[in-house]
Amino acid sequence: MEQEYASGLLESAVRELSRLPGVGRKTALRLALHILRRDESEGVALGESIINLRRNIRYCGVCHNISESEVCEVCGNDRRDHSCVCVVENVRDVMSIENTGQYSGVYHVLGGVISPMDGIGPDQLEINSLVERVKSGGIREVILALAATMEGDTTNFYIFRKLGGIPGLKITQLARGMAVGNEIEYTDELTLGRSILQRTLFSDSFNS
Amino acid sequence: MEQEYASGLLESAVRELSRLPGVGRKTALRLALHILRRDESEGVALGESIINLRRNIRYCGVCHNISESEVCEVCGNDRRDHSCVCVVENVRDVMSIENTGQYSGVYHVLGGVISPMDGIGPDQLEINSLVERVKSGGIREVILALAATMEGDTTNFYIFRKLGGIPGLKITQLARGMAVGNEIEYTDELTLGRSILQRTLFSDSFNS
């Protein structure tokens, strides 16, 4: 049901807000009325931050992570290990891995995973640029850090085939196993099976 | 936990978005990344609509409804009954009543209800302006259309006392009773009691 609002300005703000994911017309109206209740400076700051974000953010020419310049902060950082490339699906995954504080290499953002159901093939993703990047040399390890789903596995395998011939290149993937804090009886069988097959030396857990 | 994002622009958009009600930092990040994925024009339209909304919306000098000019569309409409004033808590209530299509009078938006717990007294609300408006003449009926809560009832009673002395003025309130579509056994006792005491002539339901 399209509601008629007293004001064209309100109508237009509600229409634009309701394009956001998870925001229907009711929520959009609630947000718009909230913005009206607060200081003018706050509403203007919100609007401007969105415009600035969309106008000024670029994508890194090397890894396709978001960036404010030609090359992103990670790729431009000399203290990172540029011989180790972690392949991820999207920008959010870069943030998640960065937040662990456990990784000092660089990234390659694919922009998605292969998903024939959604019409996404290898050519829509940054796979060719990954292959070129690796072939141009200086890369020792590629870590496949995609989702543990069928699409993720398909993409992993596709990339593995593309990179398989390169001599001296190590291709790894994220460990699959029990989540930290989980109990045995609540872990699904596939995961539990994997974590038995890929068990690690107990003494190794002291060293990390 | 404050996350570090790769970009100050992203950080600033996430900070501003997370000021919205019901939007935490995770949702704000999801919204920001959504905006980045869509066309630039869409993100800019969203930002501009928010700025325009906050900068250009005014409040009606008569009823305090939102407006784009000195007087809102309802108050400026000659075909509305200006002798009947419906008192509501906020702008959204005006929309709700307008959407019923059952009301042809005008409004008075209080901006809240009396709530000592939240530090809101009569002077923070547009009650004095309502009293002046009614006293200045030409108003035949005031409909109290506030929430059926303790705060709403308190506010109703306060306004009733303030307007009680005006000769020839009818003060009414919204009917309390069973919601349309509800079953007897699931209607709470207070409401059911009210709807028995305030029962209406069955024949009246044909005429409306």
Side-chain angles (χ1 to χ4, degrees), chain A residues 66-88:
Chain A
I66 52 170
S67 174
E68 288 174 35
S69 48
E70 219 25 62
V71 168
C72 77
E73 285 192 5
V74 175
C75 288
N77 186 341
D78 285 343
R79 283 174 305 175
R80 310 280 306 210
D81 178 0
H82 290 257
S83 74
C84 183
V85 175
C86 180
V87 177
V88 294

Side-chain angles (χ1 to χ4, degrees), chain A residues 53-203:
Chain A
L53 176 74
R54 192 59 195 82
R55 280 218 175 115
N56 299 331
I57 271 213
R58 297 197 276 177
Y59 291 89
C60 174
V62 180
C63 75
H64 312 288
N65 189 11
I66 52 170
S67 174
E68 288 174 35
S69 48
E70 219 25 62
V71 168
C72 77
E73 285 192 5
V74 175
C75 288
N77 186 341
D78 285 343
R79 283 174 305 175
R80 310 280 306 210
D81 178 0
H82 290 257
S83 74
C84 183
V85 175
C86 180
V87 177
V88 294
E89 184 176 338
N90 57 42
V91 170
R92 204 185 313 197
D93 296 343
V94 172
M95 292 176 195
S96 298
I97 295 176
E98 284 297 288
N99 284 332
T100 68
Q102 299 290 322
Y103 182 63
S104 61
V106 292
Y107 294 94
H108 193 93
V109 180
L110 293 182
V113 286
I114 296 173
S115 174
M117 295 278 283
D118 303 312
I120 301 173
D123 293 339
Q124 270 101 62
L125 306 173
E126 294 292 348
I127 292 181
N128 291 331
S129 63
L130 171 67
V131 175
E132 276 172 42
R133 189 178 167 190
V134 174
K135 280 188 174 158
S136 69
I139 290 165
R140 170 182 58 77
E141 178 173 357
V142 167
I143 304 174
L144 300 172
L146 301 179
T149 59
M150 206 172 65
E151 288 80 10
D153 286 340
T154 305
T155 312
N156 278 342
F157 193 65
Y158 184 88
I159 293 172
F160 177 76
R161 289 262 304 260
K162 283 274 185 180
L163 296 178
I166 299 172
L169 180 69
K170 193 160 119 191
I171 301 177
T172 57
Q173 71 173 351
L174 293 187
R176 306 274 161 92
M178 282 183 67
V180 175
N182 266 16
E183 301 199 50
I184 300 282
E185 69 175 304
Y186 301 122
T187 303
D188 70 279
E189 286 169 19
L190 277 175
T191 304
L192 196 56
R194 281 262 203 161
S195 63
I196 292 172
L197 287 175
Q198 301 179 351
R199 60 197 178 276
T200 55
L201 276 177
F202 188 65
S203 56

Side-chain angles (χ1 to χ4, degrees), chain B residues 158-172:
Chain B
Y158 184 89
I159 295 173
F160 177 76
R161 287 260 306 259
K162 282 273 184 181
L163 296 177
I166 300 171
L169 179 70
K170 195 160 116 191
I171 302 178
T172 57

Side-chain angles (χ1 to χ4, degrees), chain B residues 58-142:
Chain B
R58 297 197 277 175
Y59 290 90
C60 173
V62 180
C63 75
H64 312 288
N65 189 9
I66 53 169
S67 173
E68 288 175 35
S69 47
E70 220 24 62
V71 168
C72 77
E73 284 193 5
V74 175
C75 288
N77 186 342
D78 285 344
R79 283 174 304 176
R80 310 282 303 214
D81 178 1
H82 289 256
S83 72
C84 184
V85 176
C86 181
V87 177
V88 294
E89 183 175 337
N90 57 43
V91 169
R92 204 187 311 198
D93 296 342
V94 172
M95 292 175 194
S96 299
I97 295 177
E98 283 298 287
N99 284 333
T100 68
Q102 299 291 321
Y103 182 62
S104 61
V106 292
Y107 294 93
H108 193 91
V109 180
L110 293 183
V113 284
I114 297 172
S115 174
M117 295 279 283
D118 304 312
I120 301 174
D123 292 341
Q124 270 102 61
L125 306 173
E126 294 291 348
I127 292 181
N128 290 331
S129 63
L130 171 66
V131 175
E132 276 173 40
R133 188 176 166 192
V134 174
K135 280 188 174 157
S136 69
I139 290 166
R140 172 181 58 76
E141 180 173 355
V142 168

Side-chain angles (χ1 to χ4, degrees), chain A residues 3 7-8 38 54 68 99, chain B residues 3 7-8 38 54 68 99:
Chain A
Q3 275 183 299
S7 147
R38 307 305 293 264
R54 192 59 195 82
E68 288 174 35
N99 284 332
Chain B
Q3 275 183 298
S7 146
R38 307 304 294 263
R54 193 59 196 79
E68 288 175 35
N99 284 333

